[in-house]
Amino acid sequence: MALSKEEKTKVITDNKLSDKDTGSCEVQIALLTKRIQKLTTHMIANKHDYSSKRGMDILIARRKNLLSYLKSVDTDRYLALTKKLGLKAN
């Protein structure tokens, strides 16, 4: 479940830190969150799609690692991002 170009551009513009930012932790976490949301709706309709389930688990683990890194580097940015994306802050 890849994101369309418009969806990806919107997520990047909503979460970028500067004009040329496309790879900061905030942008990466927001993109992963959007992809996880799309896969979640797909998994509700297709419960036995185990390859998509495995891919979603990989995305969740990657997002978790990025969130823990961001939390260790800058707690204020971590808290702001989790609140903005509606994620549970640990």
Side-chain angles (χ1 to χ4, degrees), residues 20-54:
K20 295 185 177 185
D21 178 26
T22 58
S24 66
C25 281
E26 287 88 345
V27 172
Q28 291 182 48
I29 292 168
L31 286 171
L32 287 170
T33 301
K34 185 70 172 175
R35 286 180 63 192
I36 290 167
Q37 289 170 350
K38 283 187 77 165
L39 273 172
T40 302
T41 58
H42 171 77
M43 291 303 299
I44 290 171
N46 304 291
K47 295 182 182 186
H48 299 289
D49 189 356
Y50 299 114
S51 59
S52 291
K53 170 76 166 86
R54 182 176 183 277

Side-chain angles (χ1 to χ4, degrees), residues 10 17 45 56:
K10 183 179 181 327
L17 299 177
M56 186 170 72

Side-chain angles (χ1 to χ4, degrees), residues 11-88:
V11 171
I12 290 172
T13 55
D14 290 345
N15 295 290
K16 64 183 177 180
L17 299 177
S18 65
D19 291 338
K20 295 185 177 185
D21 178 26
T22 58
S24 66
C25 281
E26 287 88 345
V27 172
Q28 291 182 48
I29 292 168
L31 286 171
L32 287 170
T33 301
K34 185 70 172 175
R35 286 180 63 192
I36 290 167
Q37 289 170 350
K38 283 187 77 165
L39 273 172
T40 302
T41 58
H42 171 77
M43 291 303 299
I44 290 171
N46 304 291
K47 295 182 182 186
H48 299 289
D49 189 356
Y50 299 114
S51 59
S52 291
K53 170 76 166 86
R54 182 176 183 277
M56 186 170 72
D57 290 342
I58 291 169
L59 293 177
I60 290 170
R62 190 178 303 158
R63 182 179 70 178
K64 180 182 174 188
N65 288 338
L66 283 169
L67 281 169
S68 66
Y69 169 75
L70 185 61
K71 185 177 181 181
S72 67
V73 171
D74 193 349
T75 309
D76 295 333
R77 284 174 38 198
Y78 167 78
L79 292 173
L81 183 66
T82 53
K83 185 176 181 180
K84 182 177 183 179
L85 295 177
L87 300 174
K88 184 170 69 169

